[in-house]
Amino acid sequence: MATTPSRMIFVNLPVRDLKRSVEFFTKLGFTFNPQFTDEKATCMIINEQAFVMLLVEEFFKGFTQNQICDTRTHTEGLFALSAGSRAEVDDLVNRAIAAGGKHAAKPQDHGFMYGWSFYDLDGHHWEVSWMDPATIAKQ
């Protein structure tokens, strides 16, 4: 069986107000790597292998020739975060709403999997989900 090499992932998202976005995600419990933070960008730490680079829109435009997605009318992607429990899903989404985010959809309960979602301050769609580990072990 071939092994898959371990890779890190950096998702890059444009933001209108970097300071405001940092405050928003800090309220959700995320931290930032100061080594990759300046007035144009910051590196939000998801875990040791996954990061979200929040880039001021003008800086972001330097990495693409395409237009930036208007998140008020279009979805650029769904960014999914795992949670350790159903309560953690609810807690993270409720903190996002309290910090100024908006609900993206109603909670979805599939028994073995539970999820809820929110839009951040720039309209990026975040899914938070929990999957019953007993169900995963059976597969």
Side-chain angles (χ1 to χ4, degrees):
M1 180 171 160
T3 59
T4 303
S6 176
R7 298 187 192 279
M8 298 168 71
I9 184 168
F10 294 84
V11 175
N12 291 262
L13 296 175
V15 298
R16 289 182 279 281
D17 184 329
L18 184 60
K19 181 178 182 287
R20 194 165 169 238
S21 291
V22 168
E23 291 170 358
F24 175 81
F25 285 107
T26 297
K27 289 178 183 174
L28 275 57
F30 292 100
T31 60
F32 299 85
N33 183 334
Q35 185 178 6
F36 301 108
T37 299
D38 61 19
E39 70 281 352
K40 297 180 293 187
T42 190
C43 178
M44 183 170 83
I45 302 167
I46 303 296
N47 63 32
E48 292 179 3
Q49 301 295 319
F51 307 89
V52 176
M53 297 298 299
L54 301 174
L55 309 176
V56 172
E57 286 183 341
E58 285 304 308
F59 186 55
F60 183 91
K61 289 177 182 175
F63 297 96
T64 180
Q65 295 180 5
N66 293 337
Q67 292 186 8
I68 294 175
C69 177
D70 183 347
T71 56
R72 292 171 296 187
T73 57
H74 295 75
T75 299
E76 64 192 343
L78 302 174
F79 307 102
L81 299 170
S82 63
S85 67
R86 295 170 62 103
E88 187 180 341
V89 170
D90 290 345
D91 178 60
L92 188 57
V93 172
N94 285 327
R95 283 192 285 147
I97 302 307
K102 296 178 182 174
H103 288 289
K106 293 181 179 178
Q108 296 186 20
D109 189 347
H110 301 285
F112 70 98
M113 186 170 77
Y114 174 75
W116 203 5
S117 56
F118 67 89
Y119 294 114
D120 69 19
L121 301 177
D122 291 284
H124 305 297
H125 187 139
W126 293 87
E127 298 277 343
V128 186
S129 63
W130 167 82
M131 187 174 290
D132 184 351
T135 303
I136 297 170
K138 291 179 182 175
Q139 297 180 2

